[in-house]
């Protein structure tokens, strides 16, 4: 590995360790962590709705194509 790459990896590791140390007592981080299961449920539900909407538009497109060939 090049020296610059090694130095960059060391710097990134140091920043991550420092960020983790600062976030350990942060009430905002603790609040986000406490809500993570509820947030994950909302994200999953939003993804399911997005898939249904995309599937609906795809179905409409396919129906238009099929009816266009039939008529």
């Amino acid at each position: 590995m090049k020296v610059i790459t090694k130095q960059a990896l060391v710097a990134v590791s140091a920043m991550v360790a420092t960020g983790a140390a600062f976030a350990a007592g942060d009430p905002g981080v603790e609040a986000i962590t406490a809500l993570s299961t509820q947030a994950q449920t909302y994200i999953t539900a939003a993804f399911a709705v997005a898939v249904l909407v995309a599937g609906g538009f795809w179905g409409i497109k396919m129906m238009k194509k099929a009816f266009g060939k039939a008529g």
Side-chain angles (χ1 to χ4, degrees):
M1 289 174 69
K2 292 186 177 182
V3 175
I4 295 174
T5 306
K6 288 181 183 178
Q7 290 174 344
L9 289 174
V10 169
V12 168
S13 299
M15 288 191 316
V16 168
T18 304
F22 281 132
D26 188 8
V29 173
E30 292 173 3
I32 291 169
T33 305
L35 293 175
S36 66
T37 55
Q38 189 174 9
Q40 191 173 22
T41 303
Y42 289 144
I43 290 168
T44 303
F47 181 72
V49 169
V51 168
L52 287 173
V53 169
F57 282 117
W58 177 82
I60 291 169
K61 182 179 174 183
M62 291 296 115
M63 288 177 62
K64 284 182 179 179
K65 189 183 286 187
F67 291 142
K69 289 182 179 180

